[in-house]
Amino acid sequence: FSFRKLWAFTGPGFLMSIAYLDPGNIESDLQSGAVAGFKLLWVLMLATIIGLLLQRLAARLGVVTGLHLAEVCNRQYQKVPRIILWLMVELAIIGSDMQEVIGSAIAINLLSVGKIPLWGGVLITIADTFMFLFLDKYGLRKLEAFFGFLITIMALTFGYEYITVKPNQEKLLKGLFIPYCQNCGTPQLEQAVGIVGAVIMPHNMYLHSALVKSRQVNRANKKEVREANKYFFIESCIALFVSFIINIFVVTVFAEAFFEKTNADVNNVCMNSSSPHSSLFPNNNQTLEVDIYKGGVVLGCYFGPAALYIWAIGILAAGQSSTMTGTYSGQFVMEGFLNLRWSRFARVLLTRSIAITPTLFVAIFQDVEHLTGMNDFLNVLMSLQLPFALIPVLTFTSLPSVMNDFANGLFWRIAGGLLILLICSINMYFVVTYVMSLNHMALYVGAGILSVIYLSFVAYLV
């Protein structure tokens, strides 16, 4: 083992880990703490471990073949299923893009004390994407260092909230290592499902398999390939451990401070602290419901304005860092599936326009509380796209014709298949619950027809 070699391979895993820290994940974390306290920490840990094992497959595919997942799909699938697969993955990237835009716009709104409206925040996030592209011209290592800086900001800001709130350490350890949820009902179950859906992202498999290609590996030499696989896996473990700790900070802060709190409790504290946002919380005995925006406001009411602004800086770092990884994913997916060599500028202009347009309309015509409500819909959208990344990555890493001597053994094929079945089942439950909550017969019928088409395509991939 050599630390120098590990340093040479460090970068792709940290860029990949940013998807575990995007605004959608942060919202899922804080809601988990507010709804279930410390009881679902073990679900977060399990989801992160499963995510690590799946990312390992994606990285191995890139290292061994010298091709990323989209390129392998292009070579292995017929034209029609290949185009359908590409559209599904693009849909997931656009959904993720919208979450990042929403998160960044909310953070800018909080930092400007409401002076910059949401639509203004959305426009700022369009501009800063092109700033990142400018930074990209200076080389990948500099870009990786910049993302490392953004992850450090998240660790410091959410770590500050953790130190300020001082969560109960005994409850934290119990929640992490005892897989049990005492007195849990449907809201807690839905939250557990939401955690899995938010943590494991479909486009991240495509991204990670492409990022590992940035390191030179002699693929004719099995020892070098084996060594690259080892160091990329170690780096992924470190990166996902850091992201896991940051996620724990968020869950435990809201578990300690706001579990089983009512709107009236928060309303009283906000009124006493002369917060301009106290009207957000009606004076009733309903259980407090929080999102990224309300979460920052509540922290400000209870722990002072510094807690609110530091929270907003953390959310802004999460939104900005995940913006660029979404841009990279989109570029690799389009190039791989379609053999299109667009400039990154043109590609970002296209997908950003698609993602920004609906978000901008909502930002103009709705207030900040309703903007965060889009997250539930977007999580459902990305949950549905998950099989279109997981099934191909397991299939191709199990084929000796693709991976030669590095193909998955029987254990990995069975374990991987069971993991993917578990994740897809959990996400389908999440989707069904969401559709049922819409409470409209026409939507049920439409969802039923789409389900048949969707499941037929998944069956084809299997």
Side-chain angles (χ1 to χ4, degrees):
F1 177 81
S2 159
F3 279 106
R4 181 174 289 180
K5 278 187 181 173
L6 178 61
W7 178 248
F9 284 103
T10 295
F14 279 91
L15 259 70
M16 167 275 294
S17 74
I18 283 165
Y20 291 72
L21 293 167
D22 72 346
N25 265 300
I26 302 297
E27 181 150 299
S28 172
D29 290 339
L30 66 91
Q31 287 173 345
S32 162
V35 170
F38 296 87
K39 296 172 193 171
L40 295 179
L41 281 171
W42 63 273
V43 178
L44 176 64
M45 182 165 74
L46 208 59
T48 306
I49 292 168
I50 292 171
L52 172 65
L53 297 177
L54 294 169
Q55 296 295 162
R56 173 184 177 269
L57 294 180
R60 279 170 70 84
L61 182 72
V63 170
V64 173
T65 63
L67 303 168
H68 57 73
L69 182 54
E71 289 172 327
V72 179
C73 288
N74 188 332
R75 295 183 180 204
Q76 297 287 336
Y77 290 126
Q78 300 294 318
K79 186 176 181 181
V80 173
R82 188 171 74 233
I83 289 171
I84 296 171
L85 200 57
W86 168 67
L87 289 171
M88 293 296 103
V89 178
E90 284 289 358
L91 208 56
I93 292 168
I94 289 164
S96 172
D97 222 15
M98 287 177 72
Q99 281 188 319
E100 289 142 18
V101 170
I102 290 167
S104 298
I106 288 168
I108 291 165
N109 182 268
L110 284 170
L111 285 169
S112 66
V113 202
K115 287 188 170 62
I116 297 177
L118 285 174
W119 58 266
V122 170
L123 292 174
I124 289 169
T125 59
I126 301 173
D128 61 28
T129 307
F130 294 105
M131 185 187 78
F132 283 133
L133 291 180
F134 176 73
L135 184 70
D136 184 43
K137 290 182 185 297
Y138 288 96
L140 188 63
R141 286 300 264 181
K142 289 186 175 65
L143 194 67
E144 287 170 352
F146 180 67
F147 282 118
F149 169 69
L150 289 175
I151 291 171
T152 306
I153 288 177
M154 282 184 263
L156 292 173
T157 51
F158 298 132
Y160 170 85
E161 308 291 356
Y162 181 84
I163 292 164
T164 305
V165 175
K166 299 182 182 70
N168 183 313
Q169 300 301 300
E170 187 185 332
K171 286 181 181 175
L172 190 160
L173 292 171
K174 194 175 169 186
L176 263 183
F177 297 110
I178 299 176
Y180 181 64
C181 192
Q182 194 174 9
N183 302 323
C184 287
T186 305
Q188 287 78 18
L189 178 62
E190 287 176 7
Q191 204 54 57
V193 170
I195 290 170
V196 177
V199 166
I200 300 166
M201 309 280 270
H203 61 280
N204 220 26
M205 303 293 148
Y206 290 88
L207 176 69
H208 200 192
S209 65
L211 290 172
V212 295
K213 288 171 59 183
S214 62
R215 303 304 192 262
Q216 292 297 318
V217 177
N218 178 10
R219 290 178 178 84
N221 185 331
K222 285 183 188 174
K223 188 187 170 195
E224 269 198 46
V225 173
R226 197 170 283 113
E227 189 175 66
N229 281 331
K230 177 179 80 172
Y231 283 112
F232 276 129
F233 182 61
I234 293 169
E235 187 231 1
S236 296
C237 289
I238 296 166
L240 286 189
F241 179 72
V242 171
S243 74
F244 176 60
I245 295 297
I246 294 171
N247 282 320
I248 280 183
F249 286 161
V250 179
V251 175
T252 52
V253 161
F254 283 83
E256 180 67 40
F258 308 116
F259 178 50
E260 293 183 333
K261 286 278 195 295
T262 64
N263 283 325
D265 295 335
V266 178
N267 182 281
N268 291 335
V269 173
C270 286
M271 293 282 275
N272 291 335
S273 65
S274 305
S275 168
H277 306 288
S278 52
S279 59
L280 277 175
F281 309 99
N283 199 0
N284 59 35
N285 287 324
Q286 288 185 354
T287 307
L288 174 69
E289 289 184 10
V290 282
D291 48 40
I292 290 176
Y293 180 74
K294 286 182 182 175
V297 169
V298 170
L299 284 170
C301 291
Y302 275 77
F303 304 104
L308 185 150
Y309 293 123
I310 289 169
W311 169 260
I313 290 167
I315 296 296
L316 188 61
Q320 295 305 299
S321 55
S322 47
T323 288
M324 196 63 189
T325 55
T327 301
Y328 268 119
S329 302
Q331 180 202 347
F332 295 136
V333 163
M334 183 177 273
E335 285 181 1
F337 276 110
L338 306 180
N339 277 327
L340 281 181
R341 299 290 167 188
W342 282 24
S343 73
R344 201 168 287 164
F345 184 89
R347 218 217 71 80
V348 171
L349 198 61
L350 175 69
T351 54
R352 273 277 130 152
S353 303
I354 297 168
I356 293 284
T357 307
T359 316
L360 196 56
F361 272 108
V362 176
I364 291 168
F365 296 111
Q366 296 277 18
D367 50 19
V368 71
E369 300 98 276
H370 293 96
L371 189 62
T372 53
M374 284 177 72
N375 259 330
D376 283 342
F377 171 74
L378 294 172
N379 278 336
V380 167
L381 180 72
M382 282 184 287
S383 297
L384 283 169
Q385 312 310 319
L386 214 45
F388 307 127
L390 302 189
I391 295 170
V393 83
L394 180 65
T395 302
F396 300 137
T397 51
S398 300
L399 289 177
S401 60
V402 174
M403 298 289 284
N404 300 318
D405 294 346
F406 293 92
N408 294 331
L410 184 62
F411 170 78
W412 267 101
R413 288 205 294 272
I414 294 170
L418 290 173
L419 278 180
I420 289 169
L421 184 64
L422 173 69
I423 293 161
C424 293
S425 302
I426 286 170
N427 282 307
M428 283 310 292
Y429 172 84
F430 185 47
V431 172
V432 169
T433 306
Y434 179 79
V435 173
M436 295 293 281
S437 70
L438 298 175
N439 214 9
H440 197 288
M441 183 53 72
L443 292 171
Y444 294 165
V445 173
I449 294 166
L450 287 173
S451 297
V452 173
I453 299 167
Y454 171 83
L455 292 171
S456 301
F457 187 59
V458 170
Y460 167 81
L461 291 178
V462 171

